[in-house]
DNA sequence: CCCAAACTAAACTGTATGGTCTATAATAGC
DNA sequence: GCTATTATAGACCATACAGTTTAGTTTGGG
C-alpha cells in the first residue's frame, strides 16, 4: 500500500529515520547527535539512513523543517468571535502559554537558536512558522475586534508582537535557562492577567 | 610586578588564555571550539593552557561566567531622577536596545541558550546577570517614580519584566534568528515608542 | 517460488579532537 | 651567572565520529 506516492521519498523506512533523527536531534543538538545513535534510535541500519539522506546536515535540515512545520500546525487557531475581548485575550494567552512551556517548543527554540548560524535557512523557517505566523493570526483577530469597535489599534503588527512578548514574560526565559521546570498556576495567572491588563490599558476602547 | 596575588591564578599567561578562549567560544560554541584553535588564538601552547585549566569544560565555564559578569557590568545604570518619566523610559529603552542588539549580547545569549542544558549553572548565571539584574534595576527606578507619584504600580517585578519584553519586541528575535542584521533607526523608534506608550498607558498616573 | 530491491550488521577508513608527554627554551629571583 | 619555575613546539595516544563498503538477509510483487 501507499505505492502511489513514489515521487519524493523512496522506501518504507523513511518515516522511521525521520522519527529517530527528530528524537535525537531535539535532545542533543546537531553536533551532539551521532549518526550511529540516530540509526539505533530509529531501529535502522546506518547504511539505510545514508541511502535516504546523503549526509547528516541534510537529515538535520529536513527534520528541523518538519518540526517548524509541526510548530505551525500547533499554532493558535483564532475561531470564535462572539466572546468579549478580555476573555478572548485570556483564552488565547493560555493557549500560547501552554505551547510556549511545552517540551516541544522549548526544544525547538533551543535548537533553532543554537544552529541558526550554521544553518541560516533554519532561523528563517523558525521565525516564519513561529513568531511571524502568530503575529499574523493575532493581527487578524485584532483587526476584526477593531472593526467591531472593541479595540483601537493603529499598528496591528506592533500590537501583535507586543502581546506575544507580554505573554512570554519571565516564564519562557526562566524555562529556557533552566531556572524553573514548570510554572505554577499562580505564576501563569500573574503573567497572563498582567499581559491582558496591560494590553487593554493601551488598546482597549 | 603583581607578585602579590599568587593565591588564585598562577602564572602570567592566564589572561591570554581566557581572552583567546572567549573569542573562540563566543564565535564557535562549546563543541565547535577546538582546544588547538583556542591555544593558537591565545598565542599560547596547549600544554600551558592545560596547566591552567584541567579540561575544556572548566575553561568554558570560567569564560562563560566571566562573560556573564561582564554582561552585568554593562547593564543599565539608572542614575538621574529629575527627568520626566516618559523621557526617562525612552532613554533607558534606547540603552537597553543598544545592548540587546550588540554583537556581544547576541553571542552570549546564543551560547547560553545552547549550552544551558549541558551546563545548568550557566543558565542561572546568565539569568542572574541579565534579565534578573535588569529587573532589579528597573524595579528600583519604578519604586522611586511611584513614591514621587509619577507612576502607579502594584507588582514592581512584573512591570519590570513587562517593560523588558516590550523593548525586546520583534527586533531581538529577528536578530537572533538571522532575519535581520541590524535594525534601522525607524524600526527602533517604532518599537521603543510603542513600548513606552504601552507602559505608560498601563502604569502612568 | 523466484528474484530484485531494500535492508541489515559490522567491519573499515580517514579525520578531528581532547588530553598527555617529552625535550627544549625563556624568565626571573638569588 | 646559577637554578628553579614556567612556557614552548610538536609528537603522540586514545577515542569518537562521519561516511563507505561488503557480504549476507528480508521482503514483497509477479
Amino acid at each position: 500500500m501507499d505505492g502511489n506516492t513514489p515521487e519524493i521519498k523512496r522506501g518504507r523506512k523513511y518515516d522511521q529515520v525521520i522519527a529517530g533523527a527528530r528524537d535525537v536531534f531535539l535532545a542533543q543538538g546537531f553536533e551532539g547527535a551521532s549518526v550511529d545513535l540516530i540509526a539505533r534510535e530509529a531501529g535502522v541500519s546506518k547504511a539505510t539512513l545514508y541511502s535516504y539522506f546523503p549526509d547528516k546536515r541534510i537529515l538535520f535540515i529536513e527534520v528541523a523543517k518538519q518540526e517548524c512545520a509541526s510548530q505551525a500546525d500547533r499554532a493558535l487557531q483564532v475561531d470564535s468571535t462572539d466572546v468579549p475581548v478580555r476573555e478572548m485575550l485570556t483564552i488565547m494567552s493560555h493557549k500560547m502559554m501552554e505551547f510556549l512551556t511545552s517540551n516541544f517548543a522549548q526544544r525547538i527554540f533551543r535548537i533553532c537558536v543554537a544552529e541558526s548560524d550554521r544553518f541560516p535557512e533554519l532561523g528563517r523557517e523558525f521565525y516564519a512558522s513561529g513568531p511571524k505566523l502568530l503575529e499574523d493570526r493575532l493581527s487578524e483577530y485584532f483587526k476584526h475586534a477593531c472593526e467591531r469597535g472593541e479595540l483601537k489599534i493603529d499598528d496591528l503588527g506592533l500590537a501583535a508582537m507586543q502581546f506575544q512578548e507580554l505573554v512570554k514574560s519571565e516564564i519562557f526565559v526562566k524555562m529556557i535557562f533552566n531556572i524553573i521546570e514548570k510554572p505554577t498556576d499562580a505564576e501563569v495567572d500573574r503573567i497572563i492577567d498582567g499581559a491582558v491588563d496591560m494590553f487593554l490599558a493601551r488598546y482597549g476602547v
Side-chain angles (χ1 to χ4, degrees), chain A:
Chain A
M1 65 292 289
D2 266 30
N4 47 357
T5 54
E7 330 132 34
I8 300 190
K9 52 175 165 176
R10 53 186 218 281
R12 46 213 145 97
K13 300 293 181 89
Y14 182 94
D15 293 337
Q16 270 184 54
V17 174
I18 289 281
R22 182 185 57 229
D23 290 351
V24 181
F25 277 135
L26 285 188
Q28 314 269 78
F30 178 76
E31 293 271 17
S34 84
V35 177
D36 287 84
L37 181 57
I38 291 174
R40 201 179 325 138
E41 200 73 12
V44 141
S45 79
K46 229 169 126 180
T48 302
L49 187 154
Y50 274 101
S51 83
Y52 287 110
F53 302 95
D55 69 34
K56 190 187 175 188
R57 295 172 56 92
I58 288 172
L59 174 57
F60 176 75
I61 276 294
E62 192 54 35
V63 165
K65 277 187 179 170
Q66 282 195 20
E67 290 307 292
C68 285
S70 156
Q71 180 183 217
D73 282 344
R74 306 181 198 199
L76 191 64
Q77 289 290 353
V78 183
D79 36 3
S80 63
T81 52
D82 55 348
V83 175
V85 194
R86 164 164 244 116
E87 197 182 327
M88 190 67 186
L89 289 176
T90 308
I91 293 171
M92 295 192 304
S93 301
H94 273 101
K95 286 194 183 155
M96 287 164 62
M97 182 68 83
E98 198 180 341
F99 179 72
L100 289 171
T101 58
S102 70
N103 221 303
F104 171 79
Q106 295 272 319
R107 281 178 173 194
I108 195 168
F109 178 84
R110 197 165 296 187
I111 228 168
C112 288
V113 168
E115 305 301 342
S116 74
D117 252 357
R118 201 192 317 247
F119 304 99
E121 54 186 310
L122 181 54
R124 272 174 265 129
E125 206 83 25
F126 177 87
Y127 187 77
S129 69
K132 181 61 180 161
L133 180 65
L134 186 52
E135 180 198 331
D136 293 343
R137 300 254 166 104
L138 288 173
S139 290
E140 185 76 6
Y141 170 70
F142 292 162
K143 199 178 88 186
H144 292 328
C146 285
E147 283 161 1
R148 268 178 276 115
E150 295 172 329
L151 289 176
K152 187 172 180 312
I153 302 176
D154 47 345
D155 189 337
L156 288 167
L158 177 63
M161 281 300 184
Q162 288 176 323
F163 189 63
Q164 278 191 59
E165 295 290 342
L166 287 176
V167 173
K168 281 199 332 203
S169 292
E170 196 158 349
I171 291 176
F172 184 76
V173 181
K174 267 188 175 164
M175 287 184 68
I176 281 293
F177 290 112
N178 286 311
I179 312 290
I180 60 171
E181 187 78 20
K182 272 276 178 187
T184 66
D185 287 353
E187 284 165 345
V188 168
D189 288 341
R190 170 172 173 256
I191 298 300
I192 287 185
D193 293 345
V196 173
D197 285 346
M198 194 169 218
F199 191 83
L200 286 178
R202 172 71 179 88
Y203 298 118
V205 289

